[in-house]
Amino acid sequence: MGFFVRKLSVFFILIITGVSFSQGTLKDYKKAMAVDSLFRNKVFNVPSAFRWSGDTTLWYVNNTKEGKEYMLVDPWQKKQKKCFDHDVLAKLLSVKFNKQVDPKNIDIKELDFNDHRTEVEFVFEDARISYNIEKGTLTLLEEVESKRKKKNEYWGNRFDETSNLPVFSPDSTRVAFVKNNNLYIKDIGTEIETRLSYDGAPGFFYSSYIKWSPDGEKIMAYKVRPGDDRKIYFVESSPIDRLQPKLHSIDYLKPGDELPFKSPQLFLVNSRQHIQIPTSGFDHQFGLYNIEWRADSRAFTFEYNQRGHQAYKVIEVDAKTGQVSTLVNETSKTFIDYSSKKYRYDVADGEEIIWTSERDGWNHIYLYDGETGKVKTQLTKGEWVVRNVLYVDEENREVYFTASGLYKNQDPYFLHYCKVDFDGKNFTRFTKENGNHKVAFSNDYKYYVDQYSRVDMPPVTVLKSSKDAKTVMQLQQADHTALLKEGWIAPEVFTAKGRDGKTDIWGIIMRPTSFDPTKKYPIIEYIYAGPHGSFVPKDFRAYNWAMSSLAELGFIVVQIDGMGTSNRSKAFHDVCWKNLKDGGFPDRKLWITAAAKKYQYMNADKVGIYGTSAGGQNAAAALVFNSDFYDVAVSSCGCHDNRMDKIWWNEQFMGYPVGPHYAACSNVENASNMNGRLMLILGEIDDNVDPASTMQFADALIKANKDFELVTVPGMSHSSGGEYGERKRKDFFVKHLLNVTPPSWDKIYK
């Protein structure tokens, strides 16, 4: 059914049924603005900051109704108690630091107990303190460097191959450095310089990042041919430190740009021999990473990521001959998820290699022979996925990892903790309860804290034994009674079949605290369909950012992980390949339709959607490619054409070279197909997604005679628009989904 036909149908239905919408009122707005603080600090006994001191001493911080408590756990005695008398310590700290310290909110970090637990060291106010609990004395040990958050450096700066300092040999008798684009060494005693290379040139020079072999007899150095020097530019219109605007420029490679080329070179220092390494096995570079020497100096290794991300290799270079051998050769017909799923661990200086791969359709762990490059054993297998390798125990030949999809009667995204032997046997599951788990192992891995929850179940925190995965003692059971008294309604987990009619698609449904099943509620989807992860919340949260406050205005708010996102099978993920416009929309529409069929109060004829960044691209694509279903969209800081965005993220999933499929997925190229109500929100100094992407989309919409709203926030970087953007988003949905004129802001924020 077309957009305008659907709108007309809804209008007549409202007249016939006499349904009147009371949502979006001033009262609803005030509730929406207050819901964050209303739900804050209403869930107790949810401990955090689990730390093991030694092998058997555990401490953590618990949030009680009275305040913050530091708890000490003895696994052997199966007992827990307060680490110290909070009132006594607060008084001592107040005197020591000449400030009032609240005993119910002492802020200390990095606790470390002595063997008898009679003395504890910790950090307070940038100082390391020793507290003798028996004597009641404080001793200042040292000042520590403040870990206050520093201004983040820009993520996209070009790597400066010339900025590294000269590199000393392991015995410090010689130093290697680059001069006039070539490699030199200098004897520290005689200060005699020796030139080792003669093939460096300004356009293909030696990098200053040089690696000596551990025995000091060899050097790995590499030549670099620089790639494109692309920058993006934007104007900060209203800087706080001056009247006139500022012009910003940043490094920003985009899909299709030329990348640097690295050519590793081997030098035998004593004989001054230069062995050139053939690059034919790694000449189509996206990048070379992790260049490292073997501990016995027999070889060095590096990882080769082929441009287009359909091949990834671990390569070894013999230190005597320069012969190149491939230890791991990972290939894919679509893409290798190197940025999220790749894991490598070299056992016994490379005798074996632990490696993860999706080659059988699911992400699993493999053990390679480090000499032959052949797979010895597939350590894990089945229709479930390894999420992260946590720890490789070489001594006991065990791998600890997290996995999803292990239990068919549970949410397939729930994290569970496991281990397996190097021979693929003795597969052990440390967690089994129906929830999303977070585990903190003791230093010797004999005990672990297991905290698990669901969106509809507050956290349970227990101490378990690794020997049999049984509970030693319960540490805390969360109490959310106060939250329920405020009218909080738990999100509902909902599943429906996807486009193939077989695969379960998982999401959540959020209702307002004023929920009335006799009303009709428009549906708003919060979308983020970036293929690098999965995004529907799995842990218990009292407040879900903008979703909770948006629901309070009179909407049902949903979030869904459709096909094309990660952490399921490879086939599930591959839907995104060269096809980011898909965004899982065929699955999302089926999911929302199924939910509305079950719950008559969900109005699938009035559907809105919003998202930021990749979610901003998705939200706009809902009206460009899916306006048969979606009516209203708010898109913040979106990448509306994947040729305009950062190279690594887009080539990872859209591939290389940049072909016609990029244009086919572009909101800009297809702007004439946009139908519905659209708001674009843009931060003028966005250094993540080129702001020009949104402006080009706006330009294309104007040329196509499409009506839309553009909100540009001065001084705003990559975000959803901040508080101002949040207001505009709420008003836009209230106006176009509820057909209500929003109240004036001066009344809302009185």
Side-chain angles (χ1 to χ4, degrees):
M1 187 183 292
F3 171 77
F4 292 107
V5 175
R6 288 177 59 220
K7 288 295 180 185
L8 195 59
S9 299
V10 172
F11 175 76
F12 283 115
I13 289 171
L14 293 178
I15 293 177
I16 294 170
T17 60
V19 175
S20 61
F21 290 97
S22 61
Q23 294 102 315
T25 65
L26 178 61
K27 179 181 178 181
D28 294 324
Y29 265 88
K30 287 186 175 294
K31 185 69 175 293
M33 298 306 299
V35 71
D36 181 14
S37 57
L38 191 67
F39 292 162
R40 190 183 301 132
N41 300 325
K42 296 295 191 302
V43 185
F44 305 105
N45 299 326
V46 183
S48 60
F50 300 101
R51 296 291 185 273
W52 290 87
S53 180
D55 292 334
T56 58
T57 299
L58 166 69
W59 66 268
Y60 66 88
V61 184
N62 191 36
N63 66 323
T64 72
K65 292 180 181 179
E66 290 73 33
K68 184 185 293 186
E69 284 185 346
Y70 293 83
M71 301 297 295
L72 181 65
V73 180
D74 187 332
W76 287 0
Q77 300 294 324
K78 300 181 182 180
K79 293 180 180 179
Q80 61 177 329
K81 62 180 182 179
K82 291 183 182 179
C83 291
F84 38 73
D85 187 312
H86 289 56
D87 290 319
V88 171
L89 180 58
K91 289 179 181 178
L92 291 169
L93 290 171
S94 297
V95 173
K96 190 76 172 178
F97 288 88
N98 194 27
K99 61 178 290 185
Q100 189 62 39
V101 178
D102 182 359
K104 297 179 180 179
N105 191 31
I106 304 175
D107 185 17
I108 58 179
K109 302 176 180 67
E110 300 178 27
L111 277 71
D112 189 17
F113 290 85
N114 66 0
D115 292 340
H116 301 289
R117 300 171 187 167
T118 57
E119 192 167 349
V120 59
E121 291 184 12
F122 56 82
V123 173
F124 177 80
E125 292 285 313
D126 298 333
R128 182 165 292 281
I129 303 292
S130 175
Y131 173 39
N132 189 304
I133 299 172
E134 291 183 342
K135 297 179 180 179
T137 57
L138 288 181
T139 304
L140 177 63
L141 299 178
E142 62 177 342
E143 299 289 336
V144 297
E145 184 179 352
S146 174
K147 293 184 179 180
R148 293 187 180 92
K149 187 175 181 180
K150 299 179 181 179
K151 182 177 176 61
N152 290 330
E153 293 186 3
Y154 170 59
W155 60 270
N157 284 334
R158 298 182 72 198
F159 185 71
D160 187 352
E161 297 282 2
T162 65
S163 63
N164 201 34
L165 296 174
V167 183
F168 284 88
S169 62
D171 62 3
S172 299
T173 61
R174 292 176 286 193
V175 64
F177 58 97
V178 173
K179 183 171 71 172
N180 298 326
N181 304 304
N182 279 285
L183 179 66
Y184 287 73
I185 59 171
K186 182 171 72 173
D187 185 281
I188 300 300
T190 64
E191 294 194 354
I192 295 175
E193 290 185 2
T194 303
R195 182 173 178 174
L196 295 184
S197 77
Y198 292 85
D199 57 338
F204 200 19
F205 56 86
Y206 275 85
S207 169
S208 62
Y209 287 82
I210 300 159
K211 287 186 179 287
W212 287 84
S213 62
D215 62 10
E217 296 179 359
K218 312 165 193 76
I219 290 176
M220 188 294 306
Y222 62 84
K223 294 163 59 180
V224 182
R225 181 182 297 118
D228 284 343
D229 182 18
R230 183 190 293 278
K231 298 182 185 296
I232 62 171
Y233 300 87
F234 41 83
V235 174
E236 183 180 4
S237 63
S238 310
I240 60 174
D241 59 344
R242 74 186 201 194
L243 175 64
Q244 298 301 323
K246 290 182 179 179
L247 175 65
H248 294 269
S249 68
I250 56 175
D251 297 322
Y252 198 101
L253 292 178
K254 296 184 177 184
D257 285 349
E258 188 68 23
L259 290 169
F261 178 82
K262 295 180 181 179
S263 177
Q265 308 288 316
L266 175 64
F267 294 87
L268 308 183
V269 177
N270 294 333
S271 63
R272 309 295 189 260
Q273 185 178 358
H274 176 189
I275 300 176
Q276 298 195 21
I277 310 302
T279 61
S280 57
F282 48 92
D283 59 358
H284 191 41
Q285 299 176 13
F286 183 82
L288 297 187
Y289 315 119
N290 304 322
I291 303 176
E292 298 291 346
W293 278 97
R294 294 299 191 193
D296 64 2
S297 301
R298 72 183 186 275
F300 65 85
T301 64
F302 58 89
E303 296 177 11
Y304 163 57
N305 188 357
Q306 182 176 291
R307 189 81 182 261
H309 309 299
Q310 292 181 290
Y312 197 103
K313 298 179 182 180
V314 177
I315 293 173
E316 184 176 80
V317 178
D318 185 276
K320 292 181 179 179
T321 65
Q323 181 177 342
V324 175
S325 58
T326 299
L327 302 182
V328 176
N329 186 16
E330 194 71 39
T331 61
S332 173
K333 293 181 179 179
T334 55
F335 62 94
I336 296 168
D337 191 0
Y338 77 95
S339 61
S340 300
K341 296 189 176 75
K342 182 192 75 69
Y343 178 84
R344 170 190 163 199
Y345 181 94
D346 291 0
V347 180
D349 197 28
E351 289 183 11
E352 296 171 307
I353 300 172
I354 301 290
W355 182 259
T356 53
S357 169
E358 292 185 282
R359 65 188 59 174
D360 73 351
W362 304 82
N363 197 42
H364 282 299
I365 306 173
Y366 295 78
L367 180 68
Y368 273 77
D369 186 309
E371 294 183 5
T372 66
K374 296 183 181 299
V375 174
K376 296 176 68 173
T377 312
Q378 182 174 349
L379 304 190
T380 62
K381 62 180 61 179
E383 293 186 354
W384 51 274
V385 298
V386 170
R387 293 283 292 272
N388 285 293
V389 176
L390 304 172
Y391 171 60
V392 176
D393 183 346
E394 290 194 47
E395 181 179 353
N396 295 305
R397 294 181 67 79
E398 296 173 329
V399 182
Y400 290 74
F401 60 94
T402 58
S404 292
L406 282 171
Y407 299 94
K408 299 306 178 186
N409 61 339
Q410 294 186 18
D411 186 324
Y413 295 93
F414 281 166
L415 278 177
H416 286 280
Y417 287 69
C418 315
K419 73 172 180 178
V420 68
D421 290 350
F422 278 18
D423 59 6
K425 298 178 180 178
N426 296 319
F427 179 65
T428 301
R429 306 184 190 199
F430 294 109
T431 58
K432 61 181 180 180
E433 295 86 351
N434 187 10
N436 199 44
H437 292 256
K438 298 176 182 177
V439 162
F441 285 97
S442 62
N443 297 334
D444 60 4
Y445 279 77
K446 290 182 178 179
Y447 294 97
Y448 59 98
V449 177
D450 180 13
Q451 185 177 84
Y452 58 93
S453 70
R454 300 189 302 267
V455 293
D456 56 357
M457 185 189 79
V460 176
T461 309
V462 296
L463 178 67
K464 294 181 178 180
S465 168
S466 298
K467 182 179 180 180
D468 52 17
K470 290 184 178 179
T471 298
V472 174
M473 61 185 293
Q474 179 169 299
L475 300 179
Q476 299 294 338
Q477 169 71 60
D479 179 4
H480 70 316
T481 305
L483 183 65
L484 293 173
K485 287 181 179 178
E486 297 294 348
W488 181 84
I489 300 175
E492 178 188 348
V493 178
F494 186 80
T495 62
K497 298 300 179 185
R499 68 188 78 180
D500 60 2
K502 300 176 182 178
T503 305
D504 283 333
I505 304 298
W506 290 72
I508 58 171
I509 300 171
M510 297 192 64
R511 301 169 177 84
T513 57
S514 58
F515 174 68
D516 181 349
T518 65
K519 289 183 177 180
K520 271 284 192 181
Y521 291 88
I523 303 165
I524 298 178
E525 179 183 355
Y526 171 47
I527 188 170
Y528 192 91
H532 56 281
S534 54
F535 308 99
V536 175
K538 301 301 172 184
D539 298 314
F540 183 88
R541 300 177 186 175
Y543 177 73
N544 280 274
W545 183 59
M547 295 176 69
S548 296
S549 60
L550 197 55
E552 289 303 310
L553 294 176
F555 301 108
I556 299 291
V557 184
V558 303
Q559 190 173 357
I560 309 158
D561 280 321
M563 291 186 182
T565 52
S566 190
N567 300 323
R568 299 283 289 275
S569 69
K570 178 62 172 165
F572 189 101
H573 201 185
D574 278 347
V575 169
C576 74
W577 174 237
K578 296 186 177 182
N579 187 30
L580 287 183
K581 77 173 187 298
D582 179 277
F585 281 113
D587 313 302
R588 298 171 188 280
K589 292 189 279 189
L590 289 170
W591 189 97
I592 292 173
T593 300
K597 183 177 181 181
K598 180 177 180 180
Y599 300 117
Q600 297 300 306
Y601 50 79
M602 292 179 65
N603 187 355
D605 286 319
K606 278 182 169 288
V607 183
I609 188 169
Y610 71 102
T612 300
S613 193
Q617 176 182 5
N618 300 143
L623 298 189
V624 173
F625 300 106
N626 299 277
S627 62
D628 61 321
F629 190 82
Y630 293 92
D631 306 291
V632 183
V634 179
S635 165
S636 302
C637 292
C639 162
H640 298 288
D641 189 313
N642 297 104
R643 296 169 294 188
M644 288 290 292
D645 195 30
K646 63 195 76 66
I647 187 172
W648 75 266
W649 194 91
N650 293 272
E651 284 195 12
Q652 165 83 96
F653 306 111
M654 289 294 287
Y656 176 86
V658 177
H661 58 286
Y662 274 81
C665 289
S666 167
N667 292 335
V668 179
E669 296 277 356
N670 298 281
S672 60
N673 296 328
M674 195 280 286
N675 284 303
R677 302 290 186 177
L678 173 65
M679 173 180 282
L680 300 175
I681 298 177
L682 174 65
E684 70 171 0
I685 55 171
D686 188 343
D687 64 0
N688 188 322
V689 174
D690 188 344
S693 184
T694 294
M695 298 306 291
Q696 289 180 3
F697 185 34
D699 181 57
L701 290 169
I702 291 169
K703 291 175 179 175
N705 294 316
K706 297 294 181 178
D707 188 20
F708 68 100
E709 293 190 23
L710 174 63
V711 177
T712 302
V713 185
M716 183 68 70
S717 58
H718 191 66
S719 74
S720 298
E723 182 180 342
Y724 181 77
E726 179 69 11
R727 294 182 192 179
K728 297 294 287 185
R729 180 165 45 252
K730 285 184 170 71
D731 286 353
F732 199 70
F733 284 134
V734 165
K735 181 178 180 180
H736 295 296
L737 285 178
L738 296 178
N739 299 319
V740 170
T741 300
S744 62
W745 287 359
D746 59 346
K747 292 182 179 179
I748 298 172
Y749 294 96
K750 273 187 180 179

